[in-house]
Amino acid sequence: MLEQLGALATSPWIYVIVGLSVLLDVFLPVLPSGVLVITAATAAAGSAAGAVGDATVHGHAAFPQMFALVMCAATASVLGDMVAYRLAWRGGDRFDRAISRSRRLVAAQEKLGTALVRGGGPLVVVARFAPAGRSVVSLGAGVMHRRVAEFLPWSALAGLTWAAYSVSLGYFGGQWLGATWLGTAVSVFALFAAGAAAGFLMTRPEARAR
């Protein structure tokens, strides 16, 4: 199947699929957008390796595809964030009532507001790696009517950081372990580990407060 993905990775359709998956997972966090980005990067690296035998040339040959995947995933991430942000801004009362039913979401909302006001936007970057953290941050910023100038730059940095990390995992996993399911699995595990660490960083202050 990786061979089929390798062929797809050389097609413009891979960017459409990756872009849609990353854009929509702000509303459907169950979508495996990170896994898809990693698999596409691994397959693209394997495709370049098959076409070019020399490892040094292989790296240069794969770079345009890796760069395009990073830009595609990062752009889709920011677009998804802004769509969620705008929807929450306009439907603030409904989203506010939904958030108020969860203590965890209320606490995350309060932390987000304080962080953005103080310029602590790294919370937005960390949340991008945490499970459903992107959804909480984007919707929370809209519900609280945070200014675009406060949220958008950090959303862009978060999307670019997450995309670069995911594509790098796929690329180097393919380099070291080959374009196999093992290389993909190891890269996906590293992505999940980063998500677990991000989730721990976001919940640790709440645990201390309790």
Side-chain angles (χ1 to χ4, degrees), residues 107-117 123-124 136-138 140-141 144:
Q109 186 185 49
E110 292 174 352
K111 285 196 302 179
L112 173 64
T114 302
L116 290 177
V117 169
L123 173 66
V124 179
V136 172
V137 165
S138 301
M144 291 183 295

Side-chain angles (χ1 to χ4, degrees), residues 23-36:
L23 190 151
L24 293 175
D25 80 354
V26 69
F27 303 103
L28 299 170
V30 295
L31 286 178
S33 59
V35 176
L36 179 60

Side-chain angles (χ1 to χ4, degrees), residues 37-192:
V37 171
I38 286 175
T39 305
T42 303
S47 177
V52 183
D54 181 58
T56 304
V57 180
H58 159 218
H60 292 296
F63 178 79
Q65 290 172 297
M66 299 301 110
F67 180 78
L69 275 174
V70 170
M71 291 296 101
C72 175
T75 301
S77 179
V78 176
L79 288 176
D81 287 355
M82 295 310 298
V83 170
Y85 165 83
R86 284 298 183 186
L87 288 175
W89 180 293
R90 294 176 180 176
D93 293 338
R94 292 194 300 273
F95 282 103
D96 202 24
R97 286 195 297 269
I99 288 176
S100 66
R101 298 190 186 103
S102 169
R103 292 182 180 179
R104 179 172 293 183
L105 292 180
V106 169
Q109 186 185 49
E110 292 174 352
K111 285 196 302 179
L112 173 64
T114 302
L116 290 177
V117 169
R118 295 179 179 177
L123 173 66
V124 179
V125 180
V126 173
R128 184 62 184 86
F129 289 83
R134 175 191 179 197
S135 304
V136 172
V137 165
S138 301
L139 295 172
V143 167
M144 291 183 295
H145 289 189
R146 308 314 312 177
R147 293 186 300 119
V148 173
E150 291 177 342
F151 177 63
L152 179 57
W154 291 107
S155 171
L157 179 61
L160 185 60
T161 303
W162 173 83
Y165 179 73
S166 301
V167 171
S168 296
L169 286 179
Y171 174 75
F172 288 111
Q175 284 273 294
W176 296 333
L177 300 174
T180 63
W181 287 115
L182 176 61
T184 303
V186 171
S187 300
V188 169
F189 175 80
L191 180 66
F192 287 164

